[in-house]
Amino acid sequence: TVEHVEGSVDPVRDLEIITTELRNKDKELMAARVSDLARKCARTKDKEIETQHQTAVEILRGLENGTDVRFLAMTAKQADIVRTWSLLTAKPVIFLINVH
């Protein structure tokens, strides 16, 4: 028998733990991306880099507020940029619950 890491099965709690961990990983990735893009913006006046930086800042803000990327409002241009980043909370989700 495999023991549950939390000692009991609670689907709501377990889902919250999983989504929090995925969101935390995306926050970590986006914080690094914001920092990197800020450095690039300081070196160049490239509009594309500035758009990516602003998008990254908005995505990070949403993640810090507890919202998965797939639920954030964004323009088509921002959505195209975000798709290239392969963020975990931007991906579609399927929930499968095994009930006895």
Side-chain angles (χ1 to χ4, degrees):
T1 307
V2 176
E3 274 298 308
H4 192 282
V5 294
E6 294 293 322
S8 65
V9 175
D10 180 347
V12 173
R13 179 202 59 215
D14 295 345
L15 180 59
E16 287 173 358
I17 289 170
I18 290 166
T19 56
T20 298
E21 290 298 322
L22 294 175
R23 202 175 299 119
N24 286 342
K25 186 61 177 176
D26 280 355
K27 280 194 286 190
E28 179 183 314
L29 293 170
M30 289 310 302
R33 186 169 302 275
V34 165
S35 178
D36 180 52
L37 288 168
R39 282 192 301 278
K40 288 180 181 178
C41 281
R43 289 190 309 243
T44 181
K45 295 298 179 199
D46 184 341
K47 291 288 187 196
E48 182 63 27
I49 298 295
E50 290 176 10
T51 301
Q52 288 181 22
H53 179 257
Q54 185 57 38
T55 300
V57 168
E58 291 177 23
I59 295 299
L60 181 58
R61 186 178 308 125
L63 289 165
E64 288 172 341
N65 289 330
T67 304
D68 290 350
V69 175
R70 71 181 153 277
F71 298 126
L72 295 174
M74 61 184 88
T75 66
K77 173 82 171 156
Q78 289 174 318
D80 289 341
I81 292 168
V82 170
R83 266 192 288 282
T84 68
W85 294 338
S86 300
L87 297 170
L88 297 171
T89 63
K91 299 184 182 307
V93 176
I94 297 175
F95 298 105
L96 177 64
I97 300 173
N98 187 4
V99 181
H100 289 72

